[in-house]
Amino acid sequence: MLIKCRECGQEISDKAEMCPHCGTPFVVKGEPVDETTQMNAAPNPGNTQQQQYQQPQQPYYPPQQNSSGNGLLYLIIGLLAAGLIGLGLYVFLGQKSDTQEQTGKEVAKVETPTTTTETEEKPAPQVEKVIVAVPEKEPTDYPQGHFALDGSISKYGCHIDLDLSDNEATGSYYYTKNGSNHRLYLTGEVNGQHVELHEYNDDGDQTGYFNGMFNGITYEGTFINYKSQVMGFKFYAK
């Protein structure tokens, strides 16, 4: 228990024999000192040679603090520190494991073969060359003679047998889907490479008109049918 010193007013233990702050005797063996003891113990300023009387001092033992509270605090701090260290190790090891797994996937992706033996052994596919026309004659400014032409009027395949003599043109043609027995007849004029052909049926009625340029290899221009429909045509000489 703490009490205040009668002289200096500082707090001291009630078991102290003297004030540790000002040196005033306070108790002797647990009992308060009387005035005579205080007088004898007080210093005499007039006589510096006189020995001051003072009660024998007993060793001062400060009150012991409760150590159980400090131990509990240290235990809590230790547990928190251990938890933080464990959490840090868990995060570090987890990141390292993810990095190793990703690296393993990349290596496996690089090492995976992209071709097989079967693919390498397969022969390259053969590509057929399509030849539209292989001319047997040289182009000429004034074609003459007999010509066999294959081609189409719009999207319809046809074959023309054409004879050119001076300024006259004669011949016949048929649609491929109908066959050679269903021919239409041709007659017209030639002026250099310009060839005009009129189409007639078996009854002698005009059913169409060809107007185009022919160089001995290619005959190309426009065709007008009996319905006055205009269509493009192109033929190649064999």
Side-chain angles (χ1 to χ4, degrees):
M1 176 179 181
L2 298 177
I3 61 175
K4 290 185 178 181
C5 178
R6 292 178 293 192
E7 296 296 330
C8 63
Q10 297 291 333
E11 291 184 349
I12 61 175
S13 175
D14 59 350
K15 297 181 181 182
E17 296 181 357
M18 59 179 298
C19 179
H21 303 287
C22 62
T24 302
F26 190 62
V27 294
V28 179
K29 296 182 180 181
E31 296 180 0
V33 297
D34 54 11
E35 295 179 357
T36 305
T37 304
Q38 293 180 3
M39 290 294 294
N40 293 334
N44 186 4
N47 186 7
T48 58
Q49 299 295 328
Q50 184 178 0
Q51 184 177 3
Q52 297 180 359
Y53 174 77
Q54 188 174 0
Q55 291 288 344
Q57 297 182 4
Q58 296 292 332
Y60 172 71
Y61 301 98
Q64 297 181 356
Q65 299 180 354
N66 187 7
S67 61
S68 61
N70 292 337
L72 181 60
L73 179 61
Y74 294 151
L75 178 61
I76 294 174
I77 293 174
L79 292 175
L80 291 175
L84 291 175
I85 292 173
L87 179 61
L89 289 174
Y90 175 77
V91 173
F92 174 76
L93 293 177
Q95 293 178 350
K96 185 176 180 181
S97 176
D98 293 341
T99 303
Q100 292 177 351
E101 182 178 357
Q102 185 66 24
T103 303
K105 290 180 179 179
E106 293 178 355
V107 172
K109 183 177 180 181
V110 171
E111 293 179 353
T112 301
T114 56
T115 58
T116 60
T117 305
E118 294 181 358
T119 303
E120 294 177 354
E121 293 178 354
K122 287 183 178 180
Q126 299 295 328
V127 178
E128 296 182 358
K129 294 183 179 180
V130 178
I131 300 176
V132 176
V134 180
E136 298 178 357
K137 300 178 180 180
E138 295 293 331
T140 179
D141 294 335
Y142 196 85
Q144 294 288 296
H146 176 78
F147 300 92
L149 306 173
D150 286 322
S152 63
I153 301 173
S154 183
K155 61 181 179 178
Y156 306 104
C158 300
H159 174 81
I160 297 178
D161 290 309
L162 184 63
D163 292 296
L164 303 179
S165 178
D166 294 331
N167 294 330
E168 295 183 359
T170 57
S172 65
Y173 84 99
Y174 59 88
Y175 288 92
T176 305
K177 68 177 182 178
N178 295 332
S180 60
N181 294 329
H182 298 81
R183 289 179 177 267
L184 297 169
Y185 301 98
L186 302 171
T187 183
E189 297 179 355
V190 180
N191 186 7
Q193 292 186 351
H194 184 219
V195 178
E196 296 181 60
L197 299 173
H198 299 276
E199 171 191 301
Y200 297 91
N201 60 17
D202 292 335
D203 296 332
D205 299 326
Q206 184 174 351
T207 55
Y209 170 72
F210 290 89
N211 184 11
M213 302 296 293
F214 180 51
N215 60 3
I217 300 175
T218 304
Y219 185 32
E220 183 176 6
T222 57
F223 172 77
I224 301 175
N225 65 9
Y226 68 97
K227 296 181 180 180
S228 299
Q229 295 176 336
V230 180
M231 295 176 285
F233 71 84
K234 191 170 185 178
F235 293 88
Y236 298 94
K238 291 184 177 181

